[in-house]
Structure formats: structure tokens, C-alpha cells
Amino acid sequence: MRRFYSSMKTHFIEQVQYSSITSPAYLQKMHGLNSSLRLLTSKFFSTQPNLHSAGPTACLLKTRSIIRFSGPETIKFLQGLLTNDVRSLDDPPTAAAPVYAAMLTPQGRFLYDFFLYGPPRPDPGELELYADVDGSVVDELLAALKKYRLRSKVDIENVGEDFSCWQRFGRGLELDSVGWGGTVGQSDVSSSQGNNIGWNWHNDPRLTCLGYRGIFPSNATPPLVEEDKETDERNFLLWRLEKGVAEGSSEIPKGEAIPLEYNLVGLNAISFDKGCYVGQELVARTHHRGVIRKRLIPVRFLSGSGKEVEQQVSPGSEVIGNASKKKAGTVMTALGSRGLALVRLEEAFKEAGALTINGREDIKVETIRPKWWPPEWFLHQQQKT
């Protein structure tokens, strides 16, 4: 898209190269060009894109930042702090599959999420792990990590200027063609593997349907992105909203969210046999009790006629049950006509039109059953056990 914008602008300049750049006619044409290009580029992001009919696409995740852990006690430090088992990242010869995990309060409430990457290590004695984290809280996160570090032999630094996080998603990301859509040659196979220090695309550790994720040097375009249509990050947000997957400390409220209500077990973020970590007691107790009465659910916002309504619902809006006239949940994330809402399961999957927005009864809330949910997550199944 950037190359297209540049070429369009060059073409326009060639058309007016004999005009004075200070003439009113030139300025008017330039204003018209910029307006047209803004309109054109805006079409690459729609609040109602037909993402399923689009081929593979990629986006730079500007909302994420990168931190680096190094030192001989890195694995031990993270193992006692995060919800998932990170010992698989201590594998010198090869690049390990990334691990998704969360950091909790001592009371078991969500604080931060991490995608941890372990590039291959030619020298087994030099351990480095990278993590992509929520960029809006990176300074706060670094302070929290250093508070827990104490005398551990671990160095933690922000390398967000040197590295960036990317996501590849959409229809056609097949596992058998170097994974990433379409027939590729041997040179593409080689480039897709990144370079010899491990900047590779990886399966998203949460769900296969989310595509591929990776961190790459900021001064270079990741392999295979040139073959895709690079898109706005908000399109990946819409992709996640439809799948019912929250990400980061703004979508999973920091210091408040109960990890199991935000489906972190189903997103491969929690290990129940790894041993102790900060906040483990509440998570384990809630899990073994077996009944989760509220969950984060993908939703659509509709008018009374059933048409999707755009940009009329904001995070924090209350979801009301029409029959009970009581609060059934809260909208946590919203973009266009889609969102994520934390809803009581006894109210979530009733007949159409059962839920509305408090104060906007003309807006109906339609819940969507995620295909990846296991049957036991539905309340009627929980009550049988």
C-alpha cells in the first residue's frame, strides 16, 4: 500500500511538473489527490470487511512491543511468575514454538499477557528469550518484572525500537505449503524460515484459526509479507473479535479480569501441572470447582430490523436481559458492529433479541458461539457434571 501511494503521488507530480508548485491550481489538485488517496486507502479497512473471502494478509501489530530476557536464570524466573510452562523454550539447537502466558496479581487477577519466543542458540550457554507484550503498558510491565527479579541472574530490557511484531491471518493459510498460502518455490521456503538467529513465522500459540505470528527486526520486511496484502491492524482486531479472543491489558482488564472467564485455558495460556506461580491458588481453585458462570463471548450489534449498526456501542456499555431487565454482562471491546462482551452464560445463548444495550434498547446484542469452545464450557453441560 505504501508503494502504491508513492507511485500515485509520483504520477501526479509528473502530471503537474510544468506548473508552479505555488499556484492555486496546483494546490487545489494536490488537495484533491490527498483526499482521493485517503478515500482509497480507507477502503483497506472496513468495520464490516468480508475477511473470510479475502486471501492471506499481514499486519504490523503497532499495539505490541518487544522485550528481551537474558541470563542463566531466565527460565527459572519466568517459570515461577507466569501461568504457563516455559521450560520448552530452553532448547538450544532449534527455535522453540512460542508460548502464550499471563502474569497475574497475587490474588489471581490478570495483569499482562506474553507471547514468548525462543530463537535457536548456537551456544547453549547464552539464553535469550523475546516476548511481545502490550505496548501501552510496557514501561509499567518492565517495572513489575524487575520488582520480582530480586537477585535472579536475569536481564530484562525493552527492545521495541529494534524489533516489531507481525501477524499473518485470513483464508488460505494452509499448513502444507510452508504454511502460508499458495504454492511457493525453494527460495520462498528458505526465506520463510527467517535467518540464522531465528526470526521465523510461528503458528499462533492460542488457536490455529488466528494464523501466524512472529517478531522480526524493525528495519526489514518479514519474509512472505511481500506476497500478501498488508492491511490495517484493526482488521486483525476484527478477526479476533469474531473468534472471541481478547488480547492485551486494555481488552482483558488489568487487575480485574479472572483468567478463566476470559477463556485463557482454551487459549493455551495456563498449565495446571507446572507447579507454583504468582496467583496460582485462585486459578486452580476456580478450575477444579468446574463451573464458570460468565465468559467472554463474541457479539454483534444489531438494529431492531436485524441490520448491523456501526460505531454505536462503546466498551463499558451494560448488556441487559430483556426478560429479567437485569444486567447480563458488559461490553469489553467494540469496533464497528462487532465486539466482545463478558456475559452470564445463563443469559448468553437464549433466543434472538434476548439481550440489548442499557439505555439503547433499540440496539440488540447477538451472541456468537465460538467454534473452538469445548462443549463443557456451556452452562447446561457444566450443570450435568
Side-chain angles (χ1 to χ4, degrees), residues 297-299 302 319-328 343-356 364-369 378-380 383:
I297 299 172
V299 295
L302 308 173
V319 178
I320 303 297
N322 273 340
S324 66
K325 303 301 180 184
K326 295 180 179 179
K327 180 179 177 180
V343 183
R344 294 203 313 270
L345 290 175
E346 64 181 359
E347 298 276 1
F349 299 109
K350 293 184 175 180
E351 69 279 1
L355 301 174
T356 61
K364 310 299 181 184
V365 179
E366 177 188 75
T367 57
I368 301 169
R369 295 172 181 259
F378 295 97
L379 190 62
H380 69 280
Q383 291 170 341

Side-chain angles (χ1 to χ4, degrees), residues 69-88:
F69 299 91
S70 59
E73 295 184 353
T74 294
I75 296 294
K76 179 181 177 182
F77 170 70
L78 294 174
Q79 186 75 353
L81 187 61
L82 303 183
T83 57
N84 214 341
D85 193 331
V86 302
R87 289 175 294 180
S88 63

Side-chain angles (χ1 to χ4, degrees), residues 87-132:
R87 289 175 294 180
S88 63
L89 297 170
D90 190 13
D91 187 5
T94 60
V99 172
Y100 183 53
M103 179 177 170
L104 309 180
T105 69
Q107 295 75 34
R109 306 287 175 155
F110 177 90
L111 280 175
Y112 314 103
D113 64 354
F114 295 72
F115 293 81
L116 290 157
Y117 307 81
R121 289 185 281 149
D123 181 353
E126 296 181 2
L127 174 62
E128 282 190 339
L129 299 183
Y130 293 78
D132 81 68

Side-chain angles (χ1 to χ4, degrees), residues 168 174-182 184-185 188-189 192-193 212 224:
R168 297 188 71 241
E174 303 297 337
L175 293 175
D176 57 357
S177 58
V178 195
W180 312 306
V184 294
D188 297 314
V189 173
S192 73
Q193 301 304 314
Y212 296 84
L224 298 180

Side-chain angles (χ1 to χ4, degrees), residues 1 4 8 37-38 55 78 90 95 100 113 124 139 161 164 173 192 223 245 256 261 286 317-318 327 347-348:
M1 193 63 213
F4 178 75
M8 285 288 289
L37 287 174
R38 281 195 298 270
L78 294 174
D90 190 13
Y100 183 53
D113 64 354
D139 291 335
E161 291 188 4
S164 301
L173 291 177
S192 73
V245 179
E256 301 176 13
E261 292 183 347
T286 305
S317 299
E318 290 188 354
K327 180 179 177 180
E347 298 276 1

